Amino acid sequence: MTEAPQPNSTFSRPTFFILTGIPGLVGVQAWLTLVFGPMYLLSLLGNGALLAVVQTDSTLHQPMFLLLATLAATDLSLATSIAPGLLAVLWLGPRPVPYAACLVQMFFVHALTAVESGVLLAMACDRAVAVGRPLHYPILVTKARVGYAALALVLKAVAIVVPFPLLVARFEHFQAQTIHHVYCAHMAVVELVVGDTGANNLYGLVLSLAVSGIDILGITGSYGLIAHAVLQLPTQESRAKAFGTCSSHICVILAFYVPGLFSYLTHRFGRHTVPKPVHILLSNIYLLLPPALNPLIYGARTKQIRDRLLEIFTFKKSQF
């Protein structure tokens, strides 16, 4: 393992970085695999099952379920982009990661996070149209438009996240090779840079506020329209049914944005008051908890998916 440089020393761009894990928890971090390992397993099984059900059941080839499949694919990719390396670092200790692979991971983590936020906004808009204008829903929301929206979200994420690795790649000198983190987070790598990192910090701040802020405003506006439409319904039963169709989506939104905003605020404004191990744990929970919970939430609260899964398991059980 490369020795730590002296405080005033610098060296050229390294061929690899060393991910050390969670500072201050080195002695016990192997036990954290008992937390993050099951999260990743749930992500693989749950999202894989959702994708398989939507793909194989033609009755689920509708905009609402296609958006759900898009969310499941994003969750599966996001969890896989960090979980294998994270578990290896926690269980086996510090691990080297090639410089190029570190930048690639940085890109995918941030891009997939942006895609997930956009998919949640698209799902909120879908529910707003379904509840507010149910008669026009089949005309306004089609499978083709869902496909175009998914493609637009991917292209947007690529366009806005590509500058992250490029802004890091422009630096030629670093203070150290050791990243005190479990994956190649943008700011964790920037902390090692020798030079003016103002552009990196500013772009990260602007991007976080723009992407998350706009999506949160859009989601809030959509649910404002939903609430207005629901309150106009004539009976208590119809209002409860309309709110019930949106409750699972609200749970998914909370599971994604609450840990994410808390992690972001503690990193930006509480760096001197919130211990670094807490911040790193929050960032891992933010990236792994929603992919693990989303399939459980939708599987439990979406009748069509729940019934289809029960049919599959009942059929397999009857074969034995």
Side-chain angles (χ1 to χ4, degrees):
M1 185 179 297
T2 304
E3 294 183 359
Q6 298 301 317
N8 295 325
S9 66
T10 62
F11 51 87
S12 299
R13 178 185 299 164
T15 57
F16 63 91
F17 290 109
I18 298 173
L19 295 170
T20 64
I22 304 174
L25 298 179
V26 175
V28 298
Q29 65 181 8
W31 292 99
L32 292 175
T33 57
L34 299 178
V35 177
F36 295 118
M39 281 188 184
Y40 183 46
L41 184 61
L42 281 174
S43 299
L44 292 178
L45 296 178
N47 290 296
L50 278 177
L51 287 171
V53 167
V54 173
Q55 181 181 8
T56 56
D57 191 341
S58 59
T59 63
L60 298 180
H61 294 178
Q62 304 170 28
M64 172 183 168
F65 298 106
L66 294 177
L67 285 171
L68 176 57
T70 304
L71 180 66
T74 305
D75 281 336
L76 192 60
S77 302
L78 180 59
T80 302
S81 69
I82 69 162
L86 178 151
L87 294 173
V89 171
L90 293 180
W91 185 254
L92 301 175
R95 309 294 294 174
V97 55
Y99 176 84
C102 188
L103 297 186
V104 169
Q105 185 185 48
M106 180 190 304
F107 167 78
F108 276 106
V109 168
H110 291 287
L112 290 168
T113 302
V115 171
E116 175 138 355
S117 182
V119 173
L120 292 177
L121 173 59
M123 294 175 75
C125 294
D126 171 76
R127 291 299 86 201
V129 176
V131 174
R133 303 185 66 182
L135 297 179
H136 299 87
Y137 179 81
I139 301 173
L140 296 175
V141 184
T142 63
K143 290 189 288 186
R145 288 179 177 175
V146 169
Y148 293 141
L151 178 61
L153 289 174
V154 172
L155 294 177
K156 182 196 77 170
V158 170
I160 64 178
V161 174
V162 159
F164 272 140
L166 294 180
L167 285 170
V168 173
R170 66 193 174 100
F171 293 105
E172 295 291 337
H173 296 88
F174 290 77
Q175 301 174 13
Q177 288 180 270
T178 303
I179 301 176
H180 296 291
H181 213 297
V182 291
Y183 66 92
C184 291
H186 174 248
M187 294 310 300
V189 178
V190 169
E191 289 177 355
L192 306 181
V193 166
V194 175
D196 183 9
T197 60
N200 298 70
N201 297 328
L202 179 62
Y203 188 75
L205 176 62
V206 171
L207 185 61
S208 297
L209 292 177
V211 173
S212 298
I214 291 174
D215 289 348
I216 290 174
L217 286 175
I219 291 171
T220 303
S222 296
Y223 273 93
L225 295 174
I226 290 173
H228 180 267
V230 169
L231 293 176
Q232 305 302 314
L233 296 175
T235 65
Q236 181 69 24
E237 181 181 356
S238 60
R239 289 194 291 270
K241 183 178 179 181
F243 273 124
T245 61
C246 302
S247 59
S248 57
H249 187 225
I250 293 174
C251 293
V252 168
I253 291 171
L254 294 176
F256 179 75
Y257 282 110
V258 171
L261 288 174
F262 192 69
S263 176
Y264 173 79
L265 292 174
T266 56
H267 179 75
R268 289 288 176 181
F269 306 108
R271 298 181 65 179
H272 301 295
T273 57
V274 179
K276 192 168 185 177
V278 174
H279 170 69
I280 294 176
L281 285 173
L282 285 173
S283 67
N284 294 330
I285 291 172
Y286 163 55
L287 295 176
L288 288 177
L289 183 62
L293 288 182
N294 291 352
L296 297 178
I297 293 172
Y298 278 111
R301 299 194 63 85
T302 305
K303 185 178 184 302
Q304 295 94 323
I305 293 177
R306 184 173 65 249
D307 291 346
R308 181 57 178 156
L309 286 173
L310 288 174
E311 289 177 8
I312 293 174
F313 286 122
T314 302
F315 175 74
K316 288 184 177 181
K317 185 177 180 180
S318 66
Q319 290 182 317
F320 293 98

